[in-house]
Amino acid sequence: VSVLYYEKLTLNLGEHEKRMLEITFSRMNPIHFKKLVRLGAMKVVPENTSLIKEKTHINELMLITKGLVKITRNEKVLAYLKDGRFVGEMSFMSGETTTANCDTLEETEMIVWDKTVLTEFLKKNENIKKELNDVFSEDLIKKLVADG
């Protein structure tokens, strides 16, 4: 029964959403995932666009749905992020300034959340907040493993 329910739920998701549920949010309740995604906005960012400057405050959390982003600090490349990876999550979680520069290397499609809107939503939805923190932890582990 739960498999049928899950399949019915995912039928109402767009292709990008289904893919993100599979590769990034697989441990999240699909209903919670859908609520979270609906808070964000799809955005297409041109190639060679600066998304984040190091040591600044940002007002957005971003998730790459299709594209490539280069992460640098002091002109040194730290990582390349692809589909299913967050941009700006460390600053979002800590409330501190950003720790790196993030630039698109190709046209990049993203889900973008306004920090204030998302923070208020998570305050009212503790279960979703916990699940999203688990997603952030898994994303961070994948980034660290990719670096090693």
Side-chain angles (χ1 to χ4, degrees), residues 38-100:
R38 296 291 187 252
L39 275 182
M42 283 300 296
K43 187 174 180 182
V44 179
V45 182
E47 178 180 5
N48 297 320
T49 299
S50 173
L51 298 172
I52 295 175
K53 291 283 186 203
E54 183 179 356
K55 297 181 182 166
T56 59
H57 287 281
I58 57 171
N59 297 314
E60 298 176 327
L61 171 67
M62 297 164 259
L63 177 73
I64 302 165
T65 59
K66 183 179 179 189
L68 184 62
V69 174
K70 177 175 68 171
I71 311 301
T72 59
R73 185 183 311 127
N74 299 324
E75 305 299 319
K76 181 183 177 207
V77 175
L78 302 177
Y80 294 96
L81 304 180
K82 296 182 182 180
D83 305 5
R85 296 287 153 254
F86 285 97
V87 179
E89 79 285 0
M90 291 171 63
S91 180
F92 175 79
M93 290 188 302
S94 70
E96 300 294 323
T97 58
T98 56
T99 58

Side-chain angles (χ1 to χ4, degrees), residues 2-23 25-26 28-34 38:
S2 63
V3 172
L4 291 174
Y5 179 69
Y6 176 81
E7 287 176 358
K8 183 176 181 350
L9 230 168
T10 57
L11 289 176
N12 294 326
L13 298 175
E15 286 306 309
H16 277 326
E17 293 170 333
K18 284 181 188 175
R19 190 154 175 261
M20 289 307 101
L21 181 59
E22 290 172 12
I23 66 174
F25 296 90
S26 61
M28 186 174 241
N29 175 313
I31 294 171
H32 294 169
F33 167 75
K34 194 168 182 176
R38 296 291 187 252

Side-chain angles (χ1 to χ4, degrees), residues 113-127:
W113 291 273
D114 176 271
K115 182 178 180 177
T116 304
V117 171
L118 183 55
T119 301
E120 287 303 311
F121 172 79
L122 294 175
K123 282 181 187 175
K124 297 173 188 169
N125 296 277
E126 282 297 321
N127 289 342

